[in-house]
């Protein structure tokens, strides 16, 4: 309980500017994070889709271009044809076997530790099965490209977050914080007895309404102050008149006593 109470006291001690700006900046961070996440996800989807499409196309070309060489058991032709495709950096393995399962071509690159994509095709000539093709593709290069793209997107996201934070700060300051500061400044003047202070507010929102109510309060205080002064002055005049009347009555009584004493003598 003591910890929660201390937390509440700390929260109450936070400035109003911070309380207003913090949720807005957190919202901006969430928006930028979501934008970054979906941008990276979209780039990955596009790269993987392109590799999938490319692998299907290359596997089809490999199977069709090696039909005659496999039919004729031409090792040199098979080797030359497959090596031309093997120059592609995305291809890390090509295996061609005949209908007996014997390997006619077997090419393999060093394992790059990335995800592999395997495409298999049955090779036929005039409808007759003559062998199999297996082409292995690596995602290593698209992963490297994605890292570069990811870094660019993160830099862009940080720039957008900074820009949004600055916009939020200046817009909040112009629309909310500055009018609030004017109201607080007016309260400070009134607390010092300067009831003539007027808050200039042209907005029609809640802050503008608060400023108008504050100005009305200041005018009412001035009116009450003027009435109090007038009442005090009238009471003072009445007191003076009363004192004069008492003095006149005392003088009249003294005169009457004096005359009475003179007549007895």
């Amino acid at each position: 309980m003591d910890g929660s109470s201390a937390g509440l006291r700390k929260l109450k001690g936070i400035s109003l500017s911070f309380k207003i700006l913090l949720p807005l900046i957190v919202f901006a961070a969430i928006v930028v994070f979501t934008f970054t996440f979906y941008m990276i996800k979209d780039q990955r989807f596009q790269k993987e889709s392109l590799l999938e499409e490319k692998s299907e196309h290359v596997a089809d070309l490999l199977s069709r271009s090696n039909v005659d060489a496999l039919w004729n058991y031409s090792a040199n032709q098979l080797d030359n044809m497959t090596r031309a495709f093997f120059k592609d950096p995305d291809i890390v393995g090509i295996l061609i076997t005949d209908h007996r399962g014997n390997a006619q071509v077997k090419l393999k690159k060093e394992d790059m530790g990335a995800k592999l994509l395997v495409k298999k095709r049955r090779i036929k000539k005039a409808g007759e099965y003559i062998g199999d093709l297996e082409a292995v593709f690596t995602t290593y290069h698209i992963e490297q490209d994605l890292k570069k793209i990811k870094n660019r997107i993160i830099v862009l996201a940080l720039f957008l977050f900074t820009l949004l934070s600055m916009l939020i700060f200046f817009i909040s300051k112009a629309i909310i914080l500055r009018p609030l500061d004017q109201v607080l400044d007016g309260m400070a003047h009134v607390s010092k007895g300067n009831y003539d202070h007027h808050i200039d507010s042209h907005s029609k929102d809640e802050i503008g309404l608060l400023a108008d109510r504050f100005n009305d309060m200041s005018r009412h205080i001035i009116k009450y102050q003027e009435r109090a002064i007038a009442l005090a002055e009238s009471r003072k005049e009445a007191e003076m008149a009363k004192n004069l009347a008492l003095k006149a009555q005392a003088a009249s009584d003294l005169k009457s006593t004096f005359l009475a004493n003179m007549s007895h003598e």
Side-chain angles (χ1 to χ4, degrees), residues 117-133:
L117 193 62
V118 180
K119 297 297 177 181
K120 296 182 179 181
R121 294 290 187 273
R122 290 177 68 84
I123 303 174
K124 296 180 181 181
K125 183 177 177 64
E128 181 181 349
Y129 167 70
I130 60 173
D132 292 290
L133 164 74

Side-chain angles (χ1 to χ4, degrees), residues 223-245:
K223 288 181 181 179
Y224 291 143
Q225 191 178 43
E226 290 174 349
R227 289 178 185 175
I229 292 172
L231 181 61
E233 289 178 351
S234 63
R235 286 180 178 177
K236 186 177 180 180
E237 291 175 355
E239 189 68 26
M240 291 176 62
K242 182 180 179 181
N243 290 336
L244 289 174

Side-chain angles (χ1 to χ4, degrees), residues 49-263:
S49 298
L50 287 173
L51 182 62
E52 177 69 25
E53 184 179 345
K54 174 184 175 180
S55 63
E56 292 286 347
H57 180 64
V58 171
D60 290 338
L61 284 176
L62 268 169
S63 62
R64 288 197 298 266
S65 60
N66 286 288
V67 170
D68 292 334
L70 186 60
W71 177 264
N72 297 321
Y73 288 99
S74 176
N76 289 333
Q77 188 178 357
L78 279 171
D79 186 68
N80 292 334
M81 190 68 67
T82 52
R83 285 189 182 279
F85 284 93
F86 198 60
K87 293 178 181 179
D88 189 324
D90 290 329
I91 300 177
V92 293
I94 297 176
L95 176 64
I96 298 177
T97 59
D98 58 23
H99 66 285
R100 299 185 186 89
N102 298 321
Q104 299 298 316
V105 176
K106 189 175 183 180
L107 300 175
K108 187 177 181 180
K109 292 178 183 175
E110 183 182 352
D111 185 12
M112 299 178 181
K115 180 182 175 182
L116 299 178
L117 193 62
V118 180
K119 297 297 177 181
K120 296 182 179 181
R121 294 290 187 273
R122 290 177 68 84
I123 303 174
K124 296 180 181 181
K125 183 177 177 64
E128 181 181 349
Y129 167 70
I130 60 173
D132 292 290
L133 164 74
E134 182 180 288
V136 184
F137 298 80
T138 180
T139 60
Y140 174 80
H141 296 96
I142 68 170
E143 290 293 342
Q144 296 303 309
D145 290 342
L146 283 171
K147 285 181 181 179
K148 296 177 183 178
I149 293 171
K150 182 179 178 181
N151 291 334
R152 294 193 195 103
I153 292 175
I154 290 174
V155 171
L156 176 62
L158 289 174
F159 172 75
L160 288 176
F161 175 70
T162 304
L163 183 62
L164 279 175
S165 298
M166 292 176 64
L167 286 174
I168 288 171
F169 174 77
F170 287 115
I171 292 173
S172 299
K173 191 171 182 63
I175 297 176
I176 300 174
L177 300 179
R178 188 173 296 161
L180 277 177
D181 287 339
Q182 290 177 345
V183 173
L184 293 173
D185 182 64
M187 290 180 177
H189 279 281
V190 171
S191 66
K192 294 176 182 178
N194 184 12
Y195 303 118
D196 293 330
H197 184 78
H198 180 80
I199 300 175
D200 293 326
S201 178
H202 305 288
S203 62
K204 302 299 180 182
D205 55 11
E206 289 81 357
I207 297 177
L209 183 63
L210 178 63
D212 292 338
R213 294 290 183 268
F214 181 82
N215 290 331
D216 292 339
M217 181 190 72
S218 298
R219 284 192 291 269
H220 286 308
I221 290 174
I222 292 173
K223 288 181 181 179
Y224 291 143
Q225 191 178 43
E226 290 174 349
R227 289 178 185 175
I229 292 172
L231 181 61
E233 289 178 351
S234 63
R235 286 180 178 177
K236 186 177 180 180
E237 291 175 355
E239 189 68 26
M240 291 176 62
K242 182 180 179 181
N243 290 336
L244 289 174
L246 289 174
K247 289 179 180 179
Q249 183 64 38
S252 177
D253 293 342
L254 183 61
K255 180 181 178 183
S256 299
T257 303
F258 176 76
L259 291 175
N261 290 334
M262 288 295 293
S263 63

